[in-house]
Amino acid sequence: KIAKYFNDTKEADSHTLNLHAGDAVQGTLYYNLFGGKVGVACLNKMQIDAQVLGNHAFDRGADNLRDNFISKVNYPILSANTIVSDENEGLKKLIKPYIIKDVDGQKIAILGLTVESAKLSSPGPTISFANAIDTAKTTVQEIESKGINKIIALSHLGYDRDKILAQEVPDIDVVVGGHSHTLLGNFSNVGLTSKGNYPTVLNHDDQSKTLVLQAWKWGMVVGDINVIFDKDGKIKKYLGTPVMLLSDKFLRKDADGHKVEVNATVKSKIKKIISKLSDVKIEEPEADIEDIISQYKPQVDKMMKKTIGEATTDLIHTRIPGAIDPDNGKVLPNGSLIAPLVVKAMYEKAKEYGGADFAMQNAGGIRISIPEGNVTMGEVMQMLPFGNTLTTLDMQGSDIKDMIESAIDRSYIKGTNTGCFPYLANAKFTFNPKKPEGQRIVEFKVKKDGKWEDLDPNKTYTIATNSYIANGGDNYIEFEEKAMNKYDTGFVYANVFIDYVEKVKTLSLLSIDEVPVSVVKYNLPKVGQSVAMNNINVSLGSVTFPNGKVLNANWGFGSAAAHKDGDDANTFYTLTDRGVNIKCKDAEDIIGLDYDAMCQGDKDGKIFPFPSFSPTIVKWEKDGTNLVVKQVIPLRDKDGYKISGVSNPLSNFPEKAYDKNGTLMSYDPNGLDTEALYVKKDGTFWIGEEYAPSLVELDKNGKIIRRLVPNGLEQNLSKA
């Protein structure tokens, strides 16, 4: 589909440049089975003008990159800041710092920049990287000395670095970026939340501007922009639209929850809607590419179809906790649902080699989710495509804590490398992102003989992990510098997981007790805490808005109250509301930013400063003039995960939800606006909520047993 879009665009407008922002390897079974052979054949049919080296280009070493990729493609590969030593002269000659394209008599320079850290790739001893921005400055000077004033940076640095590049090197006109998988543009019409505008415009003091572009991930979107320059090489006009390319096959869950193709009437309606959208297009495949793929597809299909087990639910992968599953809008407060199972498989396999105290995996080493139903070998190979091997090593407890702290800082706090976020098996940690660096881990437990024990800073632990991060990948320099007794078992981690699935037969969510990651999002009332009846003041926490305004919030317990028959007269239960929320039209009075800034011009929306807040039942006991907390019961879904109070799809009014940064959030199908409480004699609960409205039955621990909604609305809650 991308080839068809590329080629049609180029045929329609000879001024078109087709640019590839890196990482054209790995991720599919075609690469697993045939190396780069199929990919190169397809790329050579796409009229690509240039491609930058991505970090994954080095995954199988510099010689493989030279012999099986760069020497085979029919277009230039760029990277001005990749330094190749003379001993690999063949590769050195193939990588160009920049090229000059002649477009209808106009000279356009395209320079390549690759993310610098060797820790993000496996380049080997003949490859090193210079600072990308420093390199860009000197390379742009060289280009301009040739009288060229229209410059494109083809970047594999990530969106945030691209914006810095644009500011630091203002003579770059357009930055076409990759690496960070950033969705730009407005895709709210298909339920997706972007990170910024397409293009993102950086203005300079001399009235010039730089346009920063990126086209999401995995070929799902093609960036498309028209730029007009004036005679001095400054951007005069531009019009950009990232385009999502679709097939004409659309699935919907039936009454049994199975995804089936929609009927002709529904398909016609869908296609009519899509025909009116500028950023979504049903695209035909390019025939030449189909012909290439068809030669290899039978072998891939055969491998794809071999069933090795079954998933009892959708095992969604997201890199960091708190992300929203784009497929169903469900908040994943503990992060990936499949990563902990991958790590568990590594932990179990390590037992054959003397065992390990726990196992660890980086989020970026897992590439796709596993849907409910049969699990095939092909899916696992796509999920774990990198050929990493199971490695065991020893490390002292204090170094382990420092290493996890550093990974949290890079991935969760700064977002510079979300792929390094750690998932564990037979160990778990809780961190508070609001604490200072080095103090964020508030609990770290390792299981021994069936019991959870605190991590001992003075004890040496054996860790099972993958060879990539064991050797310092994803900037895990602690593994490289402080680990001892490193042993590579030689078992490819994809095969380790396949063996595990074939052994256990079914894959299910871990029990809450085994979930490896917990994030302190807000303060919880503590059992035994005593508060004055005339001043029930329990801090929820604080949140900072984009303008620096800090909001300090307290818990509100009194959305409902109830007494259970048979309890002492001084004992009762209360229920919170859905959590702190601010009307967009009141944002200026409360936050100091109006609804244009905070809610994208939406007066009727709500801002949720604590979107992960879970409506909560609290059991109290009256003690004189004080109330004592006896039990805290957050509401949970059927799998035991906390629900939120964020607007759900059954709202009786068009209330959209925005976070503290003004980002539009997806509806949460499990979101409840809790208002009424009843406690049964057996200790279970009924709650009335007013989003639907609906009635919700809960067990003693706050887990939802069932939810009753008005007749005819049940399909709207199919994802709840």
Short mmCIF file of all heavy atoms in Angstrom, two decimals, residues 40 147 149 206 242 263 340 344 392 434 452 489 534:
data_model
loop_
_atom_site.label_atom_id
_atom_site.label_comp_id
_atom_site.label_asym_id
_atom_site.label_seq_id
_atom_site.Cartn_x
_atom_site.Cartn_y
_atom_site.Cartn_z
N VAL A 40 14.44 -5.92 0.75
CA VAL A 40 15.21 -5.17 -0.24
C VAL A 40 14.50 -5.18 -1.59
O VAL A 40 14.39 -4.15 -2.26
CB VAL A 40 16.64 -5.75 -0.37
CG1 VAL A 40 17.32 -5.22 -1.63
CG2 VAL A 40 17.46 -5.42 0.86
N GLY A 147 26.28 26.75 -2.19
CA GLY A 147 25.23 27.57 -2.74
C GLY A 147 23.84 26.95 -2.65
O GLY A 147 22.92 27.39 -3.35
N ASN A 149 20.41 26.26 -0.59
CA ASN A 149 19.69 26.87 0.53
C ASN A 149 18.37 26.17 0.87
O ASN A 149 17.55 26.71 1.59
CB ASN A 149 19.44 28.36 0.26
CG ASN A 149 18.60 28.58 -1.00
OD1 ASN A 149 18.03 27.65 -1.56
ND2 ASN A 149 18.55 29.83 -1.44
N ASP A 206 14.86 34.96 12.50
CA ASP A 206 14.96 35.63 11.20
C ASP A 206 13.70 35.46 10.37
O ASP A 206 13.72 35.66 9.15
CB ASP A 206 16.18 35.12 10.43
CG ASP A 206 16.06 33.63 10.09
OD1 ASP A 206 15.09 32.99 10.54
OD2 ASP A 206 16.94 33.12 9.38
N PRO A 242 -0.70 13.75 7.26
CA PRO A 242 -0.32 12.34 7.38
C PRO A 242 -1.53 11.48 7.01
O PRO A 242 -2.65 11.79 7.37
CB PRO A 242 0.04 12.20 8.86
CG PRO A 242 -0.73 13.27 9.54
CD PRO A 242 -0.96 14.38 8.55
N ASN A 263 -21.04 -6.57 7.38
CA ASN A 263 -21.83 -6.85 6.19
C ASN A 263 -21.69 -5.73 5.16
O ASN A 263 -21.09 -4.67 5.43
CB ASN A 263 -23.30 -7.10 6.55
CG ASN A 263 -23.94 -5.89 7.22
OD1 ASN A 263 -23.69 -4.76 6.84
ND2 ASN A 263 -24.78 -6.15 8.22
N PRO A 340 5.07 -9.39 31.07
CA PRO A 340 5.35 -10.22 32.24
C PRO A 340 5.34 -11.72 31.94
O PRO A 340 6.05 -12.49 32.60
CB PRO A 340 4.22 -9.85 33.21
CG PRO A 340 3.80 -8.48 32.81
CD PRO A 340 3.93 -8.46 31.32
N LYS A 344 8.36 -14.30 32.41
CA LYS A 344 8.14 -15.52 33.19
C LYS A 344 8.70 -16.73 32.45
O LYS A 344 9.28 -17.64 33.07
CB LYS A 344 6.65 -15.70 33.46
CG LYS A 344 6.34 -16.85 34.42
CD LYS A 344 4.87 -16.89 34.78
CE LYS A 344 4.61 -18.01 35.80
NZ LYS A 344 3.17 -18.07 36.17
N THR A 392 22.23 -15.25 31.64
CA THR A 392 22.16 -15.09 33.09
C THR A 392 23.40 -14.34 33.57
O THR A 392 24.47 -14.42 32.96
CB THR A 392 22.07 -16.45 33.81
OG1 THR A 392 23.24 -17.22 33.51
CG2 THR A 392 20.83 -17.21 33.38
N LYS A 434 6.81 11.07 41.35
CA LYS A 434 6.93 12.43 41.87
C LYS A 434 8.11 12.59 42.83
O LYS A 434 8.43 13.70 43.22
CB LYS A 434 5.63 12.85 42.54
CG LYS A 434 4.47 12.96 41.57
CD LYS A 434 3.22 13.51 42.21
CE LYS A 434 2.09 13.65 41.18
NZ LYS A 434 0.86 14.21 41.77
N TRP A 452 7.33 -13.13 49.51
CA TRP A 452 7.95 -11.92 49.00
C TRP A 452 8.88 -11.31 50.05
O TRP A 452 8.49 -11.12 51.19
CB TRP A 452 6.89 -10.88 48.63
CG TRP A 452 6.09 -11.26 47.42
CD1 TRP A 452 4.81 -11.69 47.39
CD2 TRP A 452 6.53 -11.24 46.06
NE1 TRP A 452 4.41 -11.95 46.10
CE2 TRP A 452 5.45 -11.67 45.25
CE3 TRP A 452 7.73 -10.89 45.42
CZ2 TRP A 452 5.54 -11.76 43.88
CZ3 TRP A 452 7.82 -10.99 44.05
CH2 TRP A 452 6.73 -11.42 43.28
N THR A 489 23.20 -18.52 27.36
CA THR A 489 22.76 -19.91 27.20
C THR A 489 22.66 -20.31 25.73
O THR A 489 22.62 -21.51 25.42
CB THR A 489 21.39 -20.14 27.84
OG1 THR A 489 20.39 -19.41 27.10
CG2 THR A 489 21.39 -19.69 29.29
N ASN A 534 -15.06 16.96 61.49
CA ASN A 534 -15.42 18.28 60.97
C ASN A 534 -14.37 18.83 60.00
O ASN A 534 -14.46 19.96 59.56
CB ASN A 534 -15.64 19.27 62.12
CG ASN A 534 -14.37 19.46 62.96
OD1 ASN A 534 -13.37 18.79 62.71
ND2 ASN A 534 -14.43 20.34 63.94
#
